[in-house]
Amino acid sequence: MEPRPRNIIIIGGGIIGSTTAYFLTRHPSFNPSIHHITVLEAASIAGAASGKAGGLLGLWAYPQCLVPLSYQLHADLAAEHDGVERWGYRKVGCGKITATLKAKHLNGSPAPKRQSNGLDLVKEENGQPKEWVKLPKQDQAASGLLKNSKLPSDLDWVDGSLIREYAEMGAIGFTETAQVHPYQFTTAIAKLAQEKGVHFRLNSKATEINLNQTKTQVESVEYLDRASNQMRSILGVTDVVVAAGPWAGRLVPSSSVEGLRAHSVIFEADVSPYAVFTSISLPREWVPAHRAAAGQKRTHMGYVDPEVYARPGREAYACGEPDPSAPLPETADLVECDEAQCDDLAAYISTVSPVLEAAPISAKQACYMPRHMRSGVEMGPLIGRTSVTGLWMAAGHTCWGIQNGPATGKLISEFIFEGEAKSANIDELDPLKYNVGA
């Protein structure tokens, strides 16, 4: 396809927007004299989930049409730009522990019979306590790749005496696992794009994508300059890439992308490089100490399944149950963190890890995972052209945005400069299947 002048606007400065900017500038057709690229970010680079995710990379992730390409691109980027030092790229072990704990193993208190402050966190459905909500990290195919194994000797930051089973991601050629530090990776990739001429406008919240009179082609983008509180416009736009994570659905309602809040904590701990999924059975009457002290109870239906990822730089990242009740705020810097939910997460992990129980917590945080939902069912991400010429979707990656960011960025660069995706067949992720853009 013959290069022509383009004024490309990328909405969103997270992992998807930053990798898209990066790969556009690395495409053979990119010509800085005729191609202008602007990233509009409502808050800061990696200010949302891209800075607060776990950074796990896995060949066993989903969707499989995207994963192999993106996993390899992570390795390539790390080799080219010293990713080991710059953003903590490394291979890690991965497995699942199953533990059954009795009251004698636990610190905490039985559920209070009466609430001293009227706060009762039990959520009920049809008169029954609500079950723990599992993060969508592993689909059925990934779970099927887990193989029973012995607890590795160097996985010494969990209490082996409590572990009933250990299952390793161990199918050769399918289960390799790696990681990056997501904030460091996203900001480094954004900087590399900026060095090639990409202009980043921070605190710039996109509010409207304007079309031509026939509503068939993008024409301009309006945004709020949050520093001056002034509305501004970018005219003569040829392409708009919507990479706004959970906010994509507000800009393009037909995309059906929405957000799901999830909390995480970061422990200060130098532990061996493993990503550990858990299934922890607890006495139903047990309440974490911080809840009991506040006169509250936290129903967990007898089991919880938080996840813990060791990271370079003396960190262990942990995440747990999502919170579907919290509405998406206007911008990433307005996301509220429920500290008590973070304390729940730390308490549950502490039941199987004395090392992390004793470790200081350096961060308690929350972010929103972007989900592409149809009739209550979570679908794959939307990547590619829409029914509007020049409008491209790159959103809805759930908890695999960091893993699948590089492939998404590369494929969007191919769509824009070549008219089609060349590096992978992602027909199943086509926004036109859902008439997005209309």
Side-chain angles (χ1 to χ4, degrees):
M1 181 176 292
E2 186 70 22
R4 61 181 176 85
R6 289 183 182 269
N7 185 10
I8 304 169
I9 308 300
I10 301 170
I11 301 177
I15 185 61
I16 306 301
S18 295
T19 52
T20 298
Y22 172 90
F23 279 104
L24 282 168
T25 63
R26 267 64 181 181
H27 193 279
S29 297
F30 176 69
N31 183 343
S33 67
I34 62 172
H35 298 142
H36 185 70
I37 303 170
T38 301
V39 176
L40 292 180
E41 166 52 47
S44 58
I45 301 301
S50 297
K52 297 178 174 66
L56 200 63
L57 317 175
L59 274 176
W60 45 270
Y62 61 85
Q64 272 297 305
C65 63
L66 203 59
V67 165
L69 171 63
S70 210
Y71 191 86
Q72 183 60 50
L73 287 173
H74 269 290
D76 295 344
L77 289 167
E80 182 177 355
H81 299 296
D82 193 19
V84 172
E85 290 296 322
R86 294 183 70 177
W87 55 76
Y89 175 83
R90 67 177 181 179
K91 303 291 179 64
V92 295
C94 181
K96 178 180 179 179
I97 61 172
T98 302
T100 301
L101 285 85
K102 305 297 183 183
K104 64 182 180 181
H105 300 130
L106 299 167
N107 294 320
S109 304
K113 294 181 179 179
R114 301 182 66 179
Q115 306 303 309
S116 61
N117 59 3
L119 295 176
D120 183 343
L121 299 191
V122 175
K123 299 177 181 179
E124 296 188 351
E125 294 177 335
N126 300 321
Q128 298 297 319
K130 185 180 178 183
E131 293 187 15
W132 171 278
V133 179
K134 187 176 179 63
L135 280 173
K137 182 68 77 172
Q138 293 176 313
D139 61 7
Q140 187 173 358
S143 297
L145 295 171
L146 290 163
K147 305 296 182 183
N148 288 338
S149 178
K150 292 183 178 179
L151 186 71
S153 60
D154 61 338
L155 183 48
D156 53 6
W157 44 276
V158 298
D159 186 344
S161 68
L162 301 176
I163 306 307
R164 183 159 47 88
E165 293 178 357
Y166 178 74
E168 178 188 13
M169 276 288 181
I172 297 174
F174 297 95
T175 58
E176 187 174 294
T177 307
Q179 68 179 174
V180 296
H181 188 293
Y183 179 82
Q184 294 171 3
F185 177 64
T186 304
T187 53
I189 290 296
K191 183 177 180 180
L192 289 166
Q194 190 173 25
E195 290 170 355
K196 290 291 187 178
V198 176
H199 180 48
F200 284 79
R201 296 188 186 181
L202 307 184
N203 288 309
S204 299
K205 178 191 171 188
T207 58
E208 194 75 32
I209 301 169
N210 295 316
L211 310 182
N212 61 3
Q213 288 187 344
T214 58
K215 305 298 182 183
T216 58
Q217 186 168 343
V218 296
E219 194 167 68
S220 65
V221 174
E222 295 179 17
Y223 70 94
L224 173 66
D225 182 336
R226 298 177 68 203
S228 65
N229 202 33
Q230 298 292 314
M231 293 299 301
R232 305 190 187 280
S233 297
I234 302 176
L235 306 177
V237 172
T238 60
D239 301 272
V240 178
V241 181
V242 180
W247 291 275
R250 292 185 175 174
L251 288 164
V252 185
S254 58
S255 68
S256 295
V257 174
E258 60 185 49
L260 176 66
R261 188 171 73 164
H263 287 82
S264 57
V265 299
I266 299 176
F267 298 91
E268 294 180 21
D270 188 8
V271 295
S272 55
Y274 281 90
V276 178
F277 297 91
T278 72
S279 178
I280 305 170
S281 296
L282 297 164
R284 291 188 59 158
E285 69 277 7
W286 178 77
V287 176
H290 67 281
R291 292 288 187 186
Q296 301 171 345
K297 57 183 177 179
R298 182 80 169 96
T299 293
H300 45 68
M301 287 294 290
Y303 103 100
V304 295
D305 61 357
E307 304 165 11
V308 189
Y309 316 143
R311 295 204 298 212
R314 296 182 57 81
E315 285 188 0
Y317 172 96
C319 54
E321 187 179 31
D323 178 11
S325 65
L328 182 70
E330 287 298 311
T331 54
D333 51 351
L334 298 179
V335 172
E336 295 183 352
C337 174
D338 182 346
E339 190 168 322
Q341 289 197 42
C342 291
D343 291 337
D344 290 340
L345 178 57
Y348 293 145
I349 290 166
S350 295
T351 63
V352 294
S353 176
V355 172
L356 296 182
E357 181 180 27
I361 292 176
S362 60
K364 300 177 182 180
Q365 55 195 15
C367 63
Y368 285 76
M369 295 185 299
R371 303 191 299 169
H372 169 210
M373 303 294 292
R374 300 282 168 175
S375 301
V377 178
E378 185 177 295
M379 314 298 286
L382 294 166
I383 303 173
R385 70 179 76 253
T386 71
S387 61
V388 175
T389 300
L391 179 63
W392 310 90
M393 290 299 304
H397 291 70
T398 63
C399 51
W400 286 116
I402 302 296
Q403 149 67 40
N404 291 325
T408 301
K410 184 174 180 63
L411 293 166
I412 289 292
S413 76
E414 294 171 352
F415 274 117
I416 289 178
F417 284 129
E418 301 177 65
E420 61 181 328
K422 296 290 186 65
S423 297
N425 182 344
I426 56 167
D427 289 349
E428 67 184 79
L429 310 180
D430 187 354
L432 290 175
K433 287 176 56 179
Y434 307 97
N435 203 27
V436 175

